Amino acid sequence: MTGRPGGAGTDIGLISLDEAGARAAARVAPVPGVLELPLVEADGRVLAEAVVARVDLPPFANSAVDGYAVRFADLRPGAETRLPVLGRTAAGDPVGTLGRGAWRIFTGAPVPDGADTVVMQEDVTLSGDEVILPSQSRLGANLRRAGEDVARGQEVLPAGRRLRPRDLGLLAALGLERVRVRHRPRVALFSTGDELTEPGRPLKPAAIYDANRAMLRALLARAGADVVDLGILRDEPTDLERHLREAAGACDLIVTSGGVSVGDADHVKAALSACGSLDLWRVAIKPGKPIAIGEAAGTPFIGLPGNPVAVFVGFVFVAWPLLARLAGATAEAPVVFPAKAGFHHRKKAGRREFLRVTLERRDDGAVIARKHPGEGAASLASLAQSDGLVVLAEELEQLEEGSTVPFLPYAGLLG
Ligand code: AMP
Ligand code: MG
């Protein structure tokens, strides 16, 4: 990477957001090292290696219902069958052996040897010690075969999988108590700007509260990082440089917001160029601004814009793929749903636009996206009060009301 102190670095022209995300991710390597954690501490962690089942799931053939286990061949085709009840097995009981007859069985209990079908208790009639079974049964009904969910030796989760509660359930069912995961990347975070004030402190004239750091801390944590919060830095190049160097020694990545555009007080670029190198990417999006990518004393750096909505978009599409790679995780593509635009909209061709929308479900089931009135890149209320983003493609210039648009719920974008 190359850079000029105080200049725009390697300005490689306008690039698409997808390309920015991919290029950013390509600059980092997964943090080294593996640790073993108990399952109860593994939610959100990244699997260091694939998990292969060492047992069958279920481990033995068992009943899926409360009912009667039978041998299918003992049932009369197309007619009811009367059979004596020969035994009874509840969940946790040892496995029985079925002779010619039926066997009382409960959900999760091992199917007796010799039985191949279970008839639900709702479908039978009891008559003394006998049971009358219905005319229509299916071979193998209501029976869970050993290994039908997972066969021993099968890979159930790949390396790089970010573990979810569902995965932990599966691993526990396979008898795993601990799991090998990757180290979390340590990410240094700071905000830059002379106008920024820590929430809770009195606000001086012309000052604003630092909103980005609260949002970024939480986003970083959701992306699986250990956050080192370095607070607010002033628009002062030497001070910025000193903090960048310090952070670089202690972290795997540095994330900042503000100070990367072309104003006189935008010193992050100069500070970065002085202690490392900088590329400034002009990303073809709205809202959005340049995103600074580079390295400070050998540690990867990503400088997000100052405006909070641009910070959110830049984080989700550029920082998140980078963090996934750093964490050794398989990148998760944002979730997209079709929605109907409840508005019309004009835009400039050549850039991708993100509109904050709220969803409304109509009686006929259609999902209508309503544009939030707060449109500016600084509007945090619009970000907090909307449900997600509608994405308008680069080539589009005019969106007609009623057209189908891709909708990205915040829930699918780390929140
Ligand atoms: P900058 O890129 O530093 O010129 O910032 C662009 C806009 O974002 C300015 O209006 C800043 O006041 C605002 N801004 C920068 N950092 C933050 C922050 N941490 N929280 C809220 N707004 C910010
Ligand atoms: Mg600033």
Side-chain angles (χ1 to χ4, degrees):
M1 281 175 285
T2 54
R4 284 179 281 121
T10 313
D11 189 340
I12 46 168
L14 218 55
I15 60 173
S16 77
L17 195 53
D18 293 342
E19 195 181 337
R23 281 197 201 178
R27 284 173 181 252
V28 296
V31 294
V34 167
L35 73 160
E36 215 174 77
L37 283 183
L39 281 195
V40 291
E41 290 170 28
D43 185 30
R45 302 298 297 243
V46 176
L47 267 185
E49 50 200 47
V51 175
V52 173
R54 277 179 284 176
V55 292
D56 279 338
L57 203 60
F60 55 91
N62 68 88
S63 181
V65 297
D66 294 329
Y68 292 83
V70 295
R71 185 181 289 108
F72 186 74
D74 290 343
L75 301 178
R76 295 193 302 155
E80 287 184 342
T81 310
R82 181 184 280 264
L83 289 174
V85 179
L86 303 175
R88 175 186 188 278
T89 312
D93 285 349
V95 62
T97 305
L98 178 69
R100 194 177 182 286
W103 193 283
R104 182 70 168 125
I105 196 162
F106 298 93
T107 308
V111 172
D113 289 337
D116 55 16
T117 300
V118 178
V119 180
M120 280 174 85
Q121 67 183 32
E122 290 85 339
D123 295 340
V124 310
T125 313
L126 282 177
S127 154
D129 293 342
E130 294 182 325
V131 64
I132 300 164
L133 300 147
S135 56
Q136 287 137 342
S137 287
R138 189 175 45 80
L139 174 63
N142 303 316
L143 190 148
R144 305 190 277 225
R145 283 172 291 106
E148 76 171 22
D149 193 11
V150 176
R152 186 179 158 180
Q154 196 181 320
E155 178 181 313
V156 286
L157 295 173
R161 166 84 167 195
R162 195 178 290 285
L163 292 170
R164 304 286 187 221
R166 294 170 286 129
D167 303 323
L168 300 177
L170 172 60
L171 298 180
L174 292 169
L176 292 177
E177 188 199 2
R178 305 172 75 77
V179 66
R180 284 165 71 76
V181 298
R182 287 182 167 277
H183 283 288
R184 281 196 183 110
R186 269 170 75 82
V187 179
L189 170 67
F190 51 81
S191 296
T192 71
D194 286 345
E195 75 280 34
L196 300 181
T197 307
E198 198 70 64
R201 305 255 170 86
L203 208 52
K204 296 204 178 93
I208 59 168
Y209 287 118
D210 177 1
N212 292 342
R213 202 154 42 91
M215 176 168 67
L216 284 170
R217 258 185 88 139
L219 282 168
L220 284 164
R222 288 193 183 197
D226 260 344
V227 187
V228 181
D229 187 342
L230 298 175
I232 300 166
L233 300 188
R234 300 293 143 207
D235 289 317
E236 205 285 297
T238 353
D239 194 45
L240 282 169
E241 186 193 333
R242 185 169 56 81
H243 279 92
L244 280 173
R245 282 187 195 278
E246 270 172 30
C251 290
D252 303 304
L253 173 71
I254 302 169
V255 175
T256 67
S257 70
V260 293
S261 57
V262 291
D264 283 351
D266 294 330
H267 296 305
V268 171
K269 295 170 295 180
L272 190 70
S273 296
C275 66
S277 61
L278 162 80
D279 276 0
L280 195 66
W281 293 347
R282 291 193 299 124
V283 184
I285 50 166
K286 185 186 176 191
K289 266 191 172 181
I291 292 183
I293 287 275
E295 141 286 300
T299 296
F301 169 92
I302 175 160
L304 294 167
N307 278 311
V309 184
V311 167
F312 183 80
V313 170
F315 183 90
V316 161
F317 295 99
V318 182
W320 189 19
L322 182 146
L323 277 156
R325 173 132 170 89
L326 204 57
T330 310
E332 290 163 46
V335 181
V336 186
F337 294 109
K340 259 192 194 338
F343 55 91
H344 64 90
H345 184 77
R346 292 180 66 83
K347 71 180 265 299
K348 255 197 210 153
R351 66 184 185 189
R352 193 179 306 177
E353 206 165 310
F354 294 92
L355 305 176
R356 282 143 272 168
V357 298
T358 48
L359 289 189
E360 198 180 290
R361 193 171 290 276
R362 253 186 0 210
D363 288 345
D364 65 0
V367 176
I368 310 296
R370 303 252 174 241
K371 189 158 65 168
H372 195 284
E375 286 185 51
S379 172
L380 275 157
S382 68
L383 199 56
Q385 291 162 359
S386 49
D387 296 320
L389 303 171
V390 153
V391 190
L392 302 181
E394 282 76 356
E395 58 278 11
L396 190 84
E397 285 182 87
Q398 178 126 0
L399 176 76
E400 303 300 338
E401 187 171 344
S403 4
T404 301
V405 284
F407 167 74
L408 280 66
Y410 293 131
L413 299 172
L414 289 170

